C-alpha cells in the first residue's frame, strides 16, 4: 500500500497548479468534476478549456481495475501490446465466475475447480505483468476497490460498468471496455469526450426506511436509462454530506443505470471516517491538506444552475423508499404507490425470492439495517414467506458481519449466505424452481433487472429496492405489502408491524479479516510464463482483425433489425456464457441471441438471405462469413446499454458484421465498437429506422473521405428493385478513424510498440 501513498502524493501535488490553470482557462468557478478531470488531463491537453459534451480529451488515469469476466479479454489484448509491466497500478478481481447454488463454501470450492484454467491464467498474467490479484472469494471488484484503492480526487478506469462505485469516496471512476484498459496499462493516454455535468443537490436528511439506494432509484426514475449519457453526475448539498461513504458508493454504483459516464461526491468527514476505518488514515491526512480542491467551489453549489448543464434537487426529508422495475431499472415507484402498480399491471404479487448484497449494497450499514428487520421476524414470531439470499461484497465485510453476529441473524430467519461474488446478480444462479413457465416475482438490492438477467427466465419479474425493503418483502412474501404502514399476521395470529430499520455505519469494533484474498505480483515477472492451451474451450489467444479494405462497404445483408431494448445482455448474454469470456470464437455463439427480430417478434430467429430459412443469429452470421458476405445490424435507442463487456463488440467483429446502425448508442458500447475497428453509426433521422426491410442490401458510402463530423450515407437496395438512401451520423474523431482503418486500435498499439 506504500506504493499507493506515493502515487497519491504525486497526484495531489498536481492539484493546485492544475486547478489554477483550469480557472484561468475557463474563467469560472469550478465544479468538483472539473477539478478532478483537469488534474488528470494528459500533459498535452493540460492548458486547454473544453467544450462540454463535444471535445475529445486525453486523460492519464491513476489506476486500472478489472474483474475476471472482462479481464481475460483485456489481458489477452495487453499480452499483444508487447510491454514487460503495466504502466499504472492495476488489479484483477475474481468475482463474476462463481455460481450461486447451495451456499458460500461449497459454491466457492466448485468455482475453483470449474474455473481453474481461467483463474490460473489470470493469476499468472497478473504475476508476470505486475498486477495485484484478488483471489476468488476475496469479494466483488467495486467493494474491494472502495475498501482498498479508491481515494478522493483520484481517477480510475475499470473494465466493468459499475466502476463508478468509487465515486462514493470522491474518485472519478469510469467503466470501460478491455481495450481501453489495455491502452492505459500500456502507458497510453485514455480518451473521453469532455463530459456534460449534471448536478444533484441533496437537501434534508434520510430517516426511517429511506436509504441511499432510494436516492438513486429516484434519480433513475427522473433521468431514465438514457438521461445520464455523456454526463458526469455530481452530488452536493447538506444531504450529500450526511450520507455515509458506502451509501454514496451505492448511489454512484447504480448511476451506471442512467447511462452516466460516472457519478461523484465531494470529500467530506464521512469520506475521511471511512478511509480511517479501512486503515487508510494516512490518505485522509493527505486529502485534508488539499481539501478545497476535493469539493466544488462554494459559488458553484450556491448557484448550481450557472455551472451545471442540468440540475436536479431532491429533498431527503421527503424522499420515500422506492421499488423500481420490472425489466428496467428506471421504472420507479414510491413505496406508497407500488402495491397499486403491482395490481394494476397484473404483476405476480407473490414474492418468490429476495436477494440482498452485491457490489451495490453490501456495506456494514446495509447489512446492519437489513439485519434489524430480519431480527424482527424472530422477535415478532413471523415466518419468512419467500426465499432469501445474502451476498456479502467482500471478505472484509463478510468476516466483520459474521463476527458481529449479523449473518447468524439472517440464517435464523431462513437466509442463505452466498459467496462474496456476483452470483445471482449476473445470472450465475442455479435457481431451483418447480415451474419456469410460471410468471413470478423476485426482488433484489442489485442494480440491474433486465429480462432474464438473474435466472435466465423471461417470466421472472425482477424488482430493485434497498436491502432493508427487500428483507421486509421477503418476510411478507407479498409485493402488495407496504412495510411502512401495513401489518402482518404472525404465528400466534396477532397483527404485527415492522419497526423502522436501524443500522450502524461502520463497525464499532472496527473491520476485521483473516485472509482478505490478495496476492501481490512478482517483483520481476520476466521469468513467469503464461500458458494458453491451444485446445482450450475457455481461452483463446487473439488473432489481429483485418484492416479496412480502403473502399466503401457495399452489398451488406441485414443480419437483424433489433426491436426495442437491446442491452449488452441481449447482445452477449452472461450467466452460462460467462465461461467463454476468454474464448472469442466460442462466446460468439451467443451473439445477439437475446435481441428481438423486428420482423417476427422472436429472439434468435433471423432470415438467412442465402437460403431463405429462419435460423439462429450466430449460425446465420457464420454462414454469411463462410461465403465472404458482410452484414449489418440495425437497432433502436440506447443500443448496448448496460455492461462494459467488449465481447458485445468483438463478437460481431469476429463473425464478419461490418456495421451497427442504430437510433442511439450507450457510451461504453459505442467506444468498444470503435476500438475493435467496427463501424458504429446512428440514423440522422430516427424515422429512417422504419425504412429498413428484411431483404434489403446495404451500401455504406463516404468511407473514402471518412472525416470527423461529416455524415456518411446509407443506400438501401430493396427487394423490389427500388432504392432509397439516407444520411447517418457518427462520432469518430481523427484518432478513432485511424482505428477503423487499421482494423482496430490494438493493431496500432502493436505497431507502435514494435517500432
Ligand atoms: C454487469 O453488472 O452487467 C457486469 C456483469 O458486471 C458487467 C461486466 C461483464 O459483463 O462482465 C458490467 O457491468 O460491465
Ligand atoms: Fe457483479 Fe452485479 Fe456488481 Fe456487476 S452489478 S459487478 S455482476 S455484483
Amino acid at each position: 500500500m506504500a506504493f499507493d501513498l506515493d502515487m497519491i502524493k504525486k497526484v495531489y501535488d498536481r492539484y493546485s497548479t492544475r486547478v489554477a490553470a483550469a480557472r484561468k482557462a475557463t474563467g469560472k468557478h469550478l465544479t468538483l468534476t472539473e477539478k478532478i478531470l483537469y488534474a488528470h488531463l494528459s500533459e498535452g491537453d493540460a492548458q486547454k478549456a473544453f467544450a462540454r459534451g463535444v471535445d475529445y480529451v486525453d486523460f492519464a488515469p491513476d489506476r486500472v481495475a478489472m474483474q475476471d469476466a472482462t479481464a481475460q479479454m483485456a489481458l489477452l489484448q495487453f499480452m499483444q501490446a508487447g510491454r514487460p509491466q503495466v504502466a499504472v497500478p492495476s488489479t484483477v478481481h475474481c468475482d463474476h465466475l462463481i455460481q450461486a447454488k447451495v451456499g458460500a463454501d461449497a459454491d466457492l470450492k466448485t468455482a475453483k475447480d470449474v474455473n481453474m484454467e481461467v483463474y490460473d491464467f489470470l493469476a499468472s498474467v497478473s504475476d508476470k505483468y505486475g498486477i495485484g490479484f484478488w483471489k476468488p472469494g476475496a469479494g466483488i471488484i467495486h467493494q474491494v476497490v472502495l475498501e482498498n484503492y479508491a481515494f478522493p480526487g483520484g481517477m480510475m478506469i475499470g473494465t466493468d460498468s459499475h466502476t463508478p462505485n468509487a465515486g462514493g469516496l470522491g474518485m472519478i471512476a469510469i467503466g470501460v471496455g478491455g481495450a481501453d484498459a489495455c491502452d492505459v496499462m500500456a502507458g497510453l493516454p485514455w480518451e473521453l469526450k469532455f463530459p456534460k455535468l449534471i448536478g444533484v443537490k441533496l437537501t434534508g436528511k434520510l430517516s426511517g426506511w429511506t436509504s441511499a439506494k432510494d436516492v438513486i432509484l429516484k434519480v433513475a426514475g427522473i433521468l431514465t436509462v438514457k438521461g445520464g449519457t455523456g454526463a458526469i453526475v455530481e452530488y452536493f448539498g447538506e444531504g450529500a454530506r450526511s450520507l455515509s461513504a458506502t451509501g454514496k458508493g451505492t448511489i454512484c454504483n447504480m448511476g451506471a443505470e442512467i447511462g452516466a459516464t460516472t457519478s461523484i461526491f465531494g470529500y467530506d468527514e464521512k469520506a475521511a471516517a471511512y478511509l480511517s476505518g479501512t486503515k487508510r488514515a494516512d490518505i485522509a491526512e493527505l486529502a485534508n491538506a488539499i481539501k478545497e480542491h476535493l469539493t466544488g467551489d462554494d459559488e458553484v453549489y450556491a448557484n448550481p444552475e450557472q455551472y451545471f448543464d442540468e440540475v436536479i434537487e431532491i429533498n431527503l426529508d421527503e424522499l420515500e423508499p422506492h421499488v423500481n422495475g420490472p425489466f428496467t431499472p428506471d421504472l420507479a415507484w414510491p413505496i406508497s404507490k407500488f402495491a397499486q402498480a403491482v395490481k394494476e399491471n397484473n404483476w405476480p404479487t407473490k414474492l418468490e425470492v429476495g436477494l440482498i448484497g452485491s457490489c451495490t449494497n453490501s456495506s456494514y450499514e446495509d447489512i446492519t439495517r437489513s439485519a434489524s428487520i430480519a431480527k424482527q421476524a424472530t422477535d415478532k414470531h413471523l415466518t419468512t414467506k419467500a426465499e432469501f439470499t445474502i451476498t456479502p461484497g467482500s471478505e472484509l465485510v463478510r468476516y466483520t458481519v459474521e463476527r458481529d453476529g449479523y449473518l447468524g441473524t439472517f440464517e435464523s430467519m431462513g437466509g442463505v449466505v452466498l459467496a462474496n461474488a456476483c452470483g445471482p446478480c449476473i445470472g450465475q444462479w442455479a435457481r431451483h424452481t418447480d415451474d419456469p413457465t410460471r410468471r413470478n416475482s423476485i426482488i433484489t438490492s442489485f442494480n440491474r433487472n433486465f429480462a432474464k438477467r438473474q435466472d435466465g427466465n423471461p417470466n421472472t419479474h425482477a424488482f430493485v429496492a434497498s436491502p432493508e425493503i427487500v428483507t421486509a418483502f421477503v418476510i411478507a412474501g407479498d409485493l402488495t405489502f407496504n412495510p411502512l404502514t401495513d401489518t402482518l399476521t404472525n404465528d400466534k395470529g396477532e397483527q404485527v408491524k415492522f419497526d423502522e430499520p436501524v443500522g450502524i455505519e461502520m463497525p464499532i469494533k472496527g473491520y476485521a479479516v483473516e485472509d482478505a484474498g490478495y496476492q501481490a505480483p512478482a517483483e520481476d515477472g520476466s521469468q513467469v510464463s503464461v500458458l494458453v492451451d491451444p485446445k482450450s474451450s475457455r481461452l483463446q489467444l487473439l488473432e489481429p482483425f483485418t484492416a479496412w479494405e480502403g473502399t466503401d462497404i457495399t452489398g451488406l445483408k441485414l443480419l437483424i433489425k433489433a426491436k426495442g431494448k437491446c442491452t449488452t445482455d441481449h447482445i452477449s448474454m452472461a450467466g452460462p456464457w460467462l465461461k467463454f469470456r476468454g474464448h472469442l470464437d466460442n462466446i460468439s455463439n451467443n451473439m445477439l441471441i437475446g435481441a428481438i427480430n423486428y420482423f417476427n417478434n422472436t429472439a434468435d430467429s433471423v432470415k438467412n438471405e442465402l437460403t431463405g430459412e429462419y435460423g439462429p443469429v450466430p449460425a446465420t452470421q457464420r454462414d454469411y462469413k463462410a461465403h465472404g458476405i458482410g452484414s449489418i445490424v440495425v437497432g433502436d435507442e440506447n443500443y448496448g446499454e448496460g455492461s462494459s463487456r467488449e465481447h458485445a463488440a468483438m463478437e460481431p467483429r469476429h463473425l464478419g458484421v461490418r456495421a451497427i446502425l442504430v437510433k442511439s448508442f450507450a457510451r461504453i458500447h459505442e467506444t468498444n465498437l470503435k476500438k475493435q475497428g467496427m463501424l458504429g453509426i446512428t440514423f440522422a433521422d430516427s424515422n429512417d429506422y422504419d425504412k429498413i426491410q428484411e431483404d434489403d442490401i446495404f451500401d455504406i458510402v463516404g468511407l473514402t473521405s471518412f472525416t470527423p463530423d461529416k455524415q456518411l450515407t446509407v443506400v438501401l437496395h430493396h427487394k423490389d428493385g427500388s432504392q432509397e438512401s439516407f444520411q447517418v451520423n457518427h462520432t469518430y474523431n481523427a484518432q478513432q478513424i485511424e482505428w477503423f482503418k487499421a482494423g482496430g486500435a490494438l493493431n496500432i498499439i502493436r505497431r507502435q510498440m514494435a517500432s
Side-chain angles (χ1 to χ4, degrees), residues 96 140-142 160 162 358-359 422 425-426 447 453:
H96 280 61
I140 308 172
I141 175 167
H142 313 302
D160 191 282
H162 296 105
S358 86
C359 68
C422 300
C425 180
I426 187 52
N447 41 36
R453 176 163 168 109

Side-chain angles (χ1 to χ4, degrees), residues 490-544:
N490 72 3
D491 301 341
K492 298 178 168 169
E494 301 155 350
Q495 292 298 304
V496 293
K497 195 165 167 281
F498 283 117
D499 303 325
E500 288 177 348
V502 281
I504 306 170
E505 256 176 55
M506 283 199 293
I508 294 153
K509 286 190 269 172
Y511 289 100
V513 70
E514 240 163 44
D515 174 9
Y518 178 70
Q519 194 170 295
E523 283 289 322
D524 170 10
S526 58
Q527 300 309 315
V528 179
S529 56
V530 179
L531 298 178
V532 173
D533 178 353
K535 290 197 289 297
S536 168
S537 66
R538 300 205 47 184
L539 294 166
Q540 181 187 41
L541 293 175
L542 291 170
E543 293 290 333

Side-chain angles (χ1 to χ4, degrees), residues 552 661 679-686 688 699-715 725-732 737:
D552 283 337
L661 166 61
L679 199 56
I681 46 186
T682 54
F683 293 99
D685 175 357
S686 58
D688 289 339
D699 298 337
I700 301 170
V701 179
L703 291 172
T704 50
S705 54
F706 194 7
T707 13
D709 302 324
K710 189 171 157 207
Q711 291 181 319
L712 297 166
T713 305
V714 167
V715 183
S725 67
F726 52 81
Q727 299 299 104
V728 292
N729 296 332
H730 71 82
T731 60
Y732 289 70
I737 291 174

Side-chain angles (χ1 to χ4, degrees), residues 67-71 95-96 141-142 158-163 175-176 256-257 359 422 425-426 447-448 450 453 568-569 572 574 578 581 642-647 668:
Q67 42 90 340
D68 51 2
T70 49
D95 52 3
H96 280 61
I141 175 167
H142 313 302
T159 60
D160 191 282
S161 66
H162 296 105
T163 303
V176 298
E257 270 44 75
C359 68
C422 300
C425 180
I426 187 52
N447 41 36
R448 290 202 172 131
F450 307 139
R453 176 163 168 109
T568 42
D569 283 350
S572 175
L578 281 171
R581 285 291 184 86
S643 162
S644 65
R645 60 191 80 142
E646 63 198 321
H647 306 75
I668 308 180

